[in-house]
Amino acid sequence: MSAVMADIVAVRVPERTWRSEARAVKTVWHRDMIRFAGNRAQVMTWLIQPLLFLFVLGSGLQSLSAASTGGVDLKTFMFPGVLCVAVLFTAMVSAASLVWDRELGFLREMMIAPVSRTSIVVGKCLGGATIAASQGVIVLALAGLVGVPYDPQLILGAFGLLVLLAFTVSAFGVLVAVTIKQAQTFTWVMQLVVFPMFFLSGALYPVAGLPAWLEALNRINPLTYAVDPMRHLVFDHLDVSETARRTLDPGVTWFGWQLPPGFEAGMVLLLGLALLGAAIWKFSRTE
Amino acid sequence: MLLCRSVTVSSPSAIEVDDLVKSYGDVDAVRGVSFSVPPGEVFGFLGPNGAGKSTTINMLCTLAEPTSGTARVSGFDVVAQRDAVRRHIGLVFQDPTLDSHLTAEQNLRLHADLYGIDPGVIPARMDQMLAMVGLADRRDKPVMTFSGGMKRRLEIARGLMHSPRVLFLDEPTIGLDPQTRSSIWGYIHALQETEGTTIFMTTHYMDEAEFCDRIAIMDRGEIVVLDTPEALKAGVGADRVALGTADDDAALAALWDRFGIEASVAEGAVTFHVEDGEAFVPRVFAELDVAITSVAVSRPTLDDVFMRYTGSTIRDAETGGVAEQNRAMMRAMAGAKR
């Protein structure tokens, strides 16, 4: 042992700089990537549900809906919504790993390190967003199977929206994770918040002509403003009749005002930044 | 050189604690402790559960803010210079804080990255730390495949990755087999010699507390005594006599009546301290009317020191105290009779 200790490598911990914080963000992010790589099969299970909606529900209900969709395949209609849902679930679950870090002790290793809490939260959020966006890309790759063309503009635009949504949902997930104290509570949040968000978002139905109560709930649901521009983007590249477009892609209105897709995307981004800020604030006050 | 000197002079202690208090609502977990630890010392922190040891450690590690009082670690204030403290300390907690999905090497690298260590020296430092704790051949294995002892050794290696000035070890050897325990003590001493690291540790093992340069015993939020193991044992002075008897209560009463000795029941034996215990034992047999089933006489140990200052042995303190156990047993027996 003394031989080993004799010429010991001297190590120094430098003072904090923005570069060391950037390295900390990357470290936290990189850890999520390592774990994702070793655990891909488990993360993939969160794609099963959206794909069941798309291919099973979409195919099964096709005969019922054929008359009202103006010749558009129900799967094609549901595709943009399912893209968003795949990202929603994965981003939430990835961000939730912070709860497990608390439960299993690793969080302490990060909390005691000479790095700001902001870097930990940002790294975690980017990690969740990366994993969720890559899941979204898998679903996006299936576009051809449901009659959505592989148009470069469509693919790029959809990818951008996926990344945006992945970021915002991850920020929400991290905020939840730093707020709750037990891993068990996260299951409740999934059941009581995330699943209702999915159902109320219009991912599986057009958002015009809804009953008043459902319309109200739909409009206050943040996910609505990710699904709508995504659907708009997809329908821009489909060859469908004007009537079908009006029925299936009516767009979100506020008291009669049609929201532009860019405005909706901006709302999602702002919400994401606000949630991230809240998560940082909350985590910085955790002892 | 001159600069070094002035820094050393301004903060001669590795740890300097002055009237530190931590309250949670009405409960005072730590009630004004003061002590200092010189650089390079192995300082042992003993006390029953709930004595305030963990709370004190958490304040020194910047994980909890003191209600009042001050603490400086490696010359830096734990509140005002939190980051500086964190850069100079290493921590090994009682509960595991490794990522069990990552390999041993990935855990160490992650730590080095978080601490901003020069990437050029990470591989060499990592090799040395893994070699020191005997895990070099397991470096590519996920931590979840490790035994409890291996995990603890890896935690120690990780806590040392960034050459901390002060290493905090909270129960580093609890639940480990004797071989691992002694090898961990080997690292601690090697570290002290080569890097001059100050070690601040808590332990439940009295035989391990002997390895410490100095020991503080904490009870009910206060430090009741602080000295070297030798001085503490010498302070107890008398030998310890432990009697197994047929009727402990009668034995306690008889010892008081005949000899004026205040004995207590500890770990199932009537225990007391007298000068020259071996000469005293025959008198006990002659004059005590209670049947004696066993006798043990021992020179004072740290167990006795602990008992003298906290009123119980550390093992009894762990299980909630013999008196409470006895009462619980009697209640249970009374219930069974009915």
Side-chain angles (χ1 to χ4, degrees):
Chain A
M1 182 181 296
S2 54
V4 176
M5 305 296 290
D7 49 353
I8 197 139
V9 178
V11 165
R12 206 177 61 82
V13 182
E15 283 196 36
R16 267 168 57 175
T17 58
W18 66 269
R19 283 190 65 186
S20 71
E21 294 297 340
R23 187 172 170 196
V25 170
K26 187 180 160 252
T27 304
V28 174
W29 173 85
H30 187 231
R31 167 174 174 253
D32 272 7
M33 294 306 111
I34 295 174
R35 292 189 56 156
F36 177 47
N39 200 18
R40 216 170 276 149
Q42 203 189 324
V43 183
M44 292 288 193
T45 59
W46 285 93
L47 281 182
I48 292 174
Q49 212 165 354
L51 293 179
L52 283 176
F53 280 118
L54 186 61
F55 290 105
V56 178
L57 202 63
S59 304
L61 291 177
Q62 176 63 30
S63 58
L64 288 179
S65 64
S68 54
T69 54
V72 178
D73 191 311
L74 190 60
K75 294 195 287 291
T76 312
F77 167 74
M78 278 167 45
F79 183 69
V82 165
L83 263 180
C84 294
V85 170
V87 169
L88 172 74
F89 289 161
T90 315
M92 276 307 281
V93 173
S94 302
S97 64
L98 198 59
V99 185
W100 288 106
D101 287 342
R102 186 196 298 280
E103 200 111 319
L104 302 176
F106 185 79
L107 190 64
R108 272 190 121 177
E109 156 78 355
M110 293 196 284
M111 304 234 318
I112 195 62
V115 298
S116 81
R117 300 281 167 89
T118 304
S119 302
I120 298 172
V121 169
V122 170
K124 205 69 204 176
C125 183
L126 293 181
T130 309
I131 294 169
S134 68
Q135 295 272 88
V137 166
I138 294 175
V139 179
L140 191 58
L142 303 176
L145 293 180
V146 295
V148 175
Y150 292 110
D151 181 286
Q153 221 186 348
L154 165 63
I155 300 296
L156 273 179
F159 178 70
L161 281 171
L162 286 180
V163 170
L164 182 61
L165 179 63
F167 163 74
T168 298
V169 177
S170 292
F172 176 60
V174 172
L175 175 61
V176 171
V178 299
T179 307
I180 63 178
K181 295 285 169 250
Q182 290 178 327
Q184 214 181 2
T185 318
F186 205 86
T187 320
W188 287 55
V189 174
M190 284 301 276
Q191 291 295 334
L192 295 175
V193 181
V194 178
F195 282 104
M197 259 171 70
F198 154 50
F199 281 107
L200 293 169
S201 69
L204 302 181
Y205 48 81
V207 292
L210 299 172
W213 64 269
L214 181 53
E215 180 172 315
L217 289 174
N218 172 261
R219 297 305 193 258
I220 60 169
N221 180 2
L223 191 60
T224 300
Y225 304 99
V227 171
D228 192 53
M230 185 73 85
R231 179 169 294 150
H232 195 73
L233 183 69
V234 169
F235 271 79
D236 268 350
H237 295 84
L238 292 181
D239 187 20
V240 296
S241 69
E242 208 36 50
T243 335
R245 175 100 196 231
R246 264 202 304 280
T247 317
L248 298 177
D249 178 31
V252 175
T253 53
W254 281 354
F255 309 107
W257 176 56
Q258 183 94 34
L259 273 63
F263 180 82
E264 293 176 304
M267 281 172 60
V268 175
L269 176 64
L270 279 184
L271 178 66
L273 292 173
L275 290 168
L276 182 65
I280 290 168
W281 182 82
K282 183 87 194 160
F283 193 49
S284 302
R285 268 144 200 82
T286 311
E287 264 202 355
Chain B
M1 199 63 219
L2 253 170
L3 190 72
C4 274
R5 270 188 75 89
S6 70
V7 168
T8 321
V9 169
S10 69
S11 60
S13 302
I15 303 175
E16 184 79 58
V17 176
D18 187 28
D19 201 20
L20 203 60
V21 174
K22 180 71 179 179
S23 311
Y24 295 101
D26 292 341
V27 185
D28 297 329
V30 175
R31 316 159 175 245
V33 301
S34 302
F35 60 89
S36 73
V37 181
E41 187 170 82
V42 178
F43 189 83
F45 216 47
L46 312 181
N49 278 349
K53 288 176 305 192
S54 294
T55 310
T56 307
I57 282 208
N58 281 345
M59 285 190 282
L60 295 181
C61 301
T62 75
L63 279 175
E65 240 178 67
T67 306
S68 69
T70 59
R72 298 180 80 82
V73 175
S74 197
F76 303 105
D77 188 276
V78 296
V79 179
Q81 295 165 293
R82 202 168 75 164
D83 275 333
V85 172
R86 289 182 177 193
R87 287 192 288 121
H88 291 89
I89 61 172
L91 280 163
V92 178
F93 296 109
Q94 204 170 332
D95 303 317
T97 63
L98 296 162
D99 186 336
S100 57
H101 290 272
L102 302 188
T103 65
E105 193 173 313
Q106 283 168 336
N107 267 287
L108 295 189
R109 186 171 284 279
L110 195 147
H111 183 88
D113 282 335
L114 279 180
Y115 280 72
I117 294 171
D118 175 8
V121 302
I122 293 177
R125 178 82 186 175
M126 194 151 64
D127 287 349
Q128 285 183 334
M129 292 305 117
L130 285 170
M132 185 181 94
V133 299
L135 289 173
D137 56 333
R138 307 276 308 194
R139 58 196 303 156
D140 297 326
K141 299 283 181 295
V143 171
M144 62 172 82
T145 64
F146 285 19
S147 69
M150 289 161 70
K151 284 183 190 165
R152 192 67 53 83
R153 274 146 57 197
L154 182 61
E155 295 233 21
I156 292 175
R158 187 181 64 178
L160 297 173
M161 264 305 280
H162 57 286
S163 295
R165 299 314 305 143
V166 182
L167 180 65
F168 290 91
L169 299 163
D170 194 8
E171 301 286 352
T173 58
I174 201 163
L176 300 182
D177 59 87
Q179 271 151 333
T180 313
R181 277 169 62 184
S182 81
S183 65
I184 283 176
W185 272 99
Y187 317 142
I188 290 173
H189 284 131
L191 204 74
Q192 197 187 6
E193 276 169 35
T194 54
E195 296 207 298
T197 315
T198 308
I199 316 271
F200 185 98
M201 68 181 308
T202 65
T203 181
H204 277 96
Y205 298 111
M206 287 300 152
D207 50 334
E208 290 192 348
E210 302 264 5
F211 295 135
C212 297
D213 296 321
R214 285 191 307 151
I215 297 168
I217 295 179
M218 199 165 180
D219 194 25
R220 294 184 185 87
E222 286 166 338
I223 288 182
V224 287
V225 67
L226 192 167
D227 216 327
T228 63
E230 294 68 34
L232 288 173
K233 282 184 285 186
V236 174
D239 292 340
R240 173 193 200 168
V241 182
L243 302 176
T245 73
D247 183 344
D248 287 349
D249 288 333
L252 291 178
L255 281 165
W256 177 248
D257 290 343
R258 299 281 163 80
F259 306 106
I261 289 173
E262 202 172 339
S264 63
V265 180
E267 288 171 25
V270 174
T271 306
F272 54 91
H273 293 95
V274 288
E275 301 290 340
D276 200 0
E278 273 140 24
F280 183 74
V281 167
R283 291 181 59 201
V284 173
F285 272 96
E287 297 183 36
L288 223 56
D289 298 331
V290 184
I292 294 170
T293 53
S294 70
V295 178
V297 178
S298 50
R299 298 276 170 253
T301 63
L302 284 177
D303 268 316
D304 302 309
V305 174
F306 192 86
M307 193 162 163
R308 160 120 168 235
Y309 288 104
T310 68
S312 63
T313 69
I314 201 153
R315 279 178 289 275
D316 283 343
E318 279 306 282
T319 50
V322 167
E324 277 160 53
Q325 279 181 340
N326 286 350
R327 274 195 295 278
M329 198 187 293
M330 280 160 91
R331 274 197 301 275
M333 283 162 67
K337 273 179 198 161
R338 253 180 246 137

